[in-house]
Amino acid sequence: MLKVGQELRIEVEGRSEGKTKIAAIQDGVVWIESPSETATLKTFFLHEEEALRVYFFKGEEQLFAFDTVVLKRLSDAQLTLRYAFKLPDEKKIKRVQRREYLRVPEMINVTVLAVDGQAFPTFETTSLDVSAGGMRIVANRAPIEVDDSLVVVFRIEDERGMPQTFRVKSRLVRIKPQTVKQELSLCFEDLAPRDQETILRYCFRAQLEARKRTGSVFSSR
């Protein structure tokens, strides 16, 4: 299923996510280049025995995923880091259903409100990525605690190019501190199936457009 030069998306739980390419495949072991973060494009390090989730495309629209562990970290003659992981049995490589598609890097204007309208002042921000199940936004600080809820309002275009506004109650699932601001990962709580489908189609179009434009299956717009 995998081949040299193929692009992969990797996720390190609670730490980083980004894209990389396969540098070599030898005896069931896959060697990849240093990954770069999806949002910042900065490279980040992996550690031996660290758990990964790996995503890749087969064909135009079939997305697959599997879990693995970093076996080795080596640098070549040019001091370029390479990482190795074992390719799992094909039975453990699962096709990702459309409703589970990866988040796409998208900067969307977002208004954030308190659920009761009073717990914190309303503020404007932008998303870092979005999916049919949630989004990641930036903020000066987290206005609520993890597992508490807030409301996000944002607008995207549907398949006809018509703007659609969404007002969605969302749960804060993770806070990632940055040098200046914080990244807040949100999970949509009460999104109607029809609205979820609209967002899903939007993400799917954004993913395909990025692929056509840059040749990368996981590029930002």
Side-chain angles (χ1 to χ4, degrees), residues 7 11 67 110 120 143 147 187 200:
E7 190 167 7
E11 292 184 352
D67 295 320
V110 181
F120 62 84
D147 288 331
C187 175
L200 177 67

Side-chain angles (χ1 to χ4, degrees), residues 145-161:
E145 301 293 328
V146 171
D147 288 331
D148 288 342
S149 297
L150 46 70
V151 176
V152 291
V153 180
F154 58 95
R155 179 181 295 181
I156 60 174
E157 293 183 352
D158 61 20
E159 290 182 305
R160 299 169 297 170

Side-chain angles (χ1 to χ4, degrees), residues 23 35 49 63-65 81 101 129 134 136 146 162 164 180 191 216:
E49 300 186 2
L63 181 66
F64 291 82
L81 280 173
Y101 260 67
D129 54 45
R136 190 158 52 107
V146 171
M162 300 296 292
Q164 302 292 324
V180 178
L191 194 61
S216 169

Side-chain angles (χ1 to χ4, degrees), residues 10-16 35 44-54 67-73 83-86:
I10 63 171
E11 292 184 352
V12 183
E13 181 63 30
R15 191 165 73 81
S16 297
F44 61 92
F45 296 107
L46 301 176
H47 306 292
E48 292 185 0
E49 300 186 2
E50 189 166 41
L52 300 176
R53 173 157 290 184
V54 179
D67 295 320
T68 189
V69 175
V70 178
L71 295 178
K72 295 180 181 179
R73 182 174 75 175
Y83 301 91
F85 61 80
K86 187 176 181 181

Side-chain angles (χ1 to χ4, degrees), residues 53-205:
R53 173 157 290 184
V54 179
Y55 296 87
F56 66 95
F57 273 96
K58 182 180 179 182
E60 289 294 320
E61 302 179 3
Q62 296 180 20
L63 181 66
F64 291 82
F66 60 87
D67 295 320
T68 189
V69 175
V70 178
L71 295 178
K72 295 180 181 179
R73 182 174 75 175
L74 296 176
S75 58
D76 59 21
Q78 288 73 41
L79 301 180
T80 302
L81 280 173
R82 295 287 186 267
Y83 301 91
F85 61 80
K86 187 176 181 181
L87 187 64
D89 186 278
E90 285 199 15
K91 294 180 180 179
K92 295 185 178 181
I93 301 176
K94 305 296 184 182
R95 183 173 178 179
V96 179
Q97 300 301 314
R98 289 191 66 189
R99 291 191 178 278
E100 301 175 87
Y101 260 67
L102 290 174
R103 296 183 297 272
V104 292
E106 287 288 285
M107 295 186 68
I108 299 172
N109 294 327
V110 181
T111 301
V112 182
L113 309 93
V115 173
D116 63 2
Q118 300 179 344
F120 62 84
T122 297
F123 64 92
E124 305 288 332
T125 186
T126 58
S127 66
L128 295 173
D129 54 45
V130 63
S131 76
M135 64 169 47
R136 190 158 52 107
I137 64 174
V138 293
N140 291 327
R141 64 178 182 82
I144 58 175
E145 301 293 328
V146 171
D147 288 331
D148 288 342
S149 297
L150 46 70
V151 176
V152 291
V153 180
F154 58 95
R155 179 181 295 181
I156 60 174
E157 293 183 352
D158 61 20
E159 290 182 305
R160 299 169 297 170
M162 300 296 292
Q164 302 292 324
T165 300
F166 298 85
R167 182 186 179 96
V168 189
K169 183 180 179 183
S170 306
R171 178 170 56 88
L172 178 61
V173 296
R174 186 180 301 123
I175 301 171
K176 182 179 180 181
Q178 297 293 345
T179 305
V180 178
K181 300 193 176 190
Q182 294 181 323
E183 295 179 8
L184 310 183
S185 296
L186 308 175
C187 175
F188 297 149
E189 289 191 308
D190 60 356
L191 194 61
R194 182 176 179 181
D195 290 341
Q196 185 182 50
E197 184 68 21
T198 299
I199 297 174
L200 177 67
R201 291 178 182 277
Y202 171 84
C203 294
F204 191 61
R205 291 197 309 275

